[in-house]
Amino acid sequence: MAVTAAGMRLLPAGLLVLAISTAAWAEPVTYVLDPQHSFVHFEVLHFGTSTLRGRFGQIDGYVELDRAAPGGWVSLRVPTAAVDTGMPAFDARLRQSDLLDSEAHPVASFVASRFSFDGPKVSALSGELTLRGVRQTLELRALRFGCHTHPQLQREVCGGDFEGELDRAAFGASFGMPFVANRVRLRVQVEGIRR
Amino acid sequence: MKNLLAATTLGLALAAPAYSANYVIDPTHTFVTYEVGHFGTSTNRGRFDKKEGTVQFDRAARTGKVEVTFDLKSVSTGVEMLNKHLQSADFFDSAKFPEAKFVGDKFVFNGDKVSEVAGMLTLRGKALPVTLKATNFNCYMNPMLKREVCGGDFETTLKRSQWGVNYGLEVGVPDDVRLLIQVEAVKQ
């Protein structure tokens, strides 16, 4: 009888652990991108001398993470006309047809379903970037990835910093080469709020 | 003969930057971007859009002096509410201290390239030493301006609390701020 009593005390504890594990890990969790902490920054070398920088935002999108599988899915949209370099004249030049071609292609999109994990953390992802209507594979490496509880919303927020490179000529955005380099480095800040 | 002439011209062109010269900061290719960690998750960035400055630079003597002033009200983060908050006494206190200034007069060279510039950064009325490390440095003849342009990329990490910017330290907003500096200056 004593053994049974001890077993009964163990049982609820075991169920509780199972219930927590199930809620936390078994289903894909959706995160909606937080526009205040999600930006795509780009860097490109100018005359082999200094680095031009610009920012795209606001970004709309969401991320699904299934840490049990593990796997993930991300879809985001970047309005190209909202490019911001700090120089309105340069922004206007970037929107022209030989660079971003914002009138014909107002949105760049990135969809990725190939996620790599290092334990519970996303370490890299590979997907398809569509820019100026041209679709190319883009790989992003995570420099950091983490989760925290949003102090006001009291919800889980996950995100990180991701980096990747692309050749702009491959998308047909070749104006100004070779004075302005073909190679563009992307530095992506992203945070998603759990839905 | 033609080759000799070309070689001489090239030689002259290469030799020209050896003399001390004055340069004016090109505001379209000079920006300071800061990076601060956000809850150990991602990196917040901001950029200062209005600036002016001058550089004296002597590659033969390996000396130089740079003075750049940034309008703190021109900070651009992509989030209007944050731009406004940064102006308050929590951060820049720009009503009292509208500008940040860097005066660098200790140039370190690696060959004929600048590798480091040390000087004083004034923020909120307080001047403290800062050393900027070059990750790129180069001079080139700009085909549009038809003038020599020198510049590069510099970076440093500073502790904002040293200038009295303490907002959020107690709740874990990092003290470390990384500065990424693009600079190009046109020979006068």
Side-chain angles (χ1 to χ4, degrees), chain A residues 83 87-101 175-176:
Chain A
V83 65
M87 294 176 280
F90 188 43
D91 297 342
R93 184 67 193 83
L94 284 170
R95 288 193 282 266
Q96 287 182 18
S97 61
D98 51 4
L99 289 167
L100 293 168
D101 199 8
F175 175 80

Side-chain angles (χ1 to χ4, degrees), chain A residues 39-41 43 53 55 143-144 161-163 187-189, chain B residues 33-36 43-47 76-78 82 178 180:
Chain A
F39 292 97
V40 175
H41 298 261
E43 298 185 339
R53 295 188 170 88
R55 177 179 72 213
L143 298 184
R144 58 188 63 78
D161 292 315
F162 293 82
E163 279 194 5
R187 305 173 81 212
V188 183
Q189 175 193 21
Chain B
T33 300
Y34 72 77
E35 297 186 337
V36 186
T43 299
N44 285 333
R45 296 187 174 90
R47 183 187 67 213
S76 171
T77 62
L82 180 56
R178 185 175 176 223
L180 298 171

Side-chain angles (χ1 to χ4, degrees), chain A:
Chain A
M1 283 306 274
V3 173
T4 309
M8 280 186 70
R9 278 200 300 276
L10 274 175
L11 189 64
L15 276 177
L16 185 65
V17 168
L18 257 178
I20 289 169
S21 315
T22 305
W25 304 108
E27 282 179 16
V29 177
T30 303
Y31 300 85
V32 179
L33 290 196
D34 171 4
Q36 298 197 348
H37 297 103
S38 299
F39 292 97
V40 175
H41 298 261
F42 67 86
E43 298 185 339
V44 60
L45 197 60
H46 181 248
F47 278 93
T49 300
S50 73
T51 301
L52 294 174
R53 295 188 170 88
R55 177 179 72 213
F56 291 97
Q58 106 182 41
I59 304 168
D60 292 321
Y62 60 96
V63 182
E64 267 182 26
L65 285 182
D66 183 343
R67 282 177 260 205
W73 194 81
V74 59
S75 169
L76 55 88
R77 292 162 59 85
V78 180
T80 59
V83 65
D84 186 341
T85 61
M87 294 176 280
F90 188 43
D91 297 342
R93 184 67 193 83
L94 284 170
R95 288 193 282 266
Q96 287 182 18
S97 61
D98 51 4
L99 289 167
L100 293 168
D101 199 8
S102 297
E103 208 175 313
H105 302 286
V107 172
S109 66
F110 180 62
V111 178
S113 57
R114 299 181 292 278
F115 278 51
S116 304
F117 285 78
D118 180 7
K121 296 187 178 214
V122 177
S123 59
L125 51 118
S126 169
E128 276 67 50
L129 171 68
T130 306
L131 177 65
R132 297 177 92 253
V134 179
R135 193 164 67 181
Q136 298 271 335
T137 299
L138 175 68
E139 283 170 22
L140 296 174
R141 302 171 299 276
L143 298 184
R144 58 188 63 78
F145 183 88
C147 300
H148 66 271
T149 302
H150 193 288
Q152 280 91 43
L153 300 173
Q154 286 300 308
R155 281 175 184 238
E156 187 195 33
V157 172
C158 292
D161 292 315
F162 293 82
E163 279 194 5
E165 292 87 32
L166 59 85
D167 287 343
R168 61 191 178 98
F171 294 87
S174 53
F175 175 80
M177 287 167 48
F179 303 124
V180 180
N182 181 24
R183 203 77 173 146
V184 178
R185 187 170 168 223
L186 299 177
R187 305 173 81 212
V188 183
Q189 175 193 21
V190 66
E191 290 194 12
I193 303 167
R194 186 172 180 148
R195 191 151 69 185

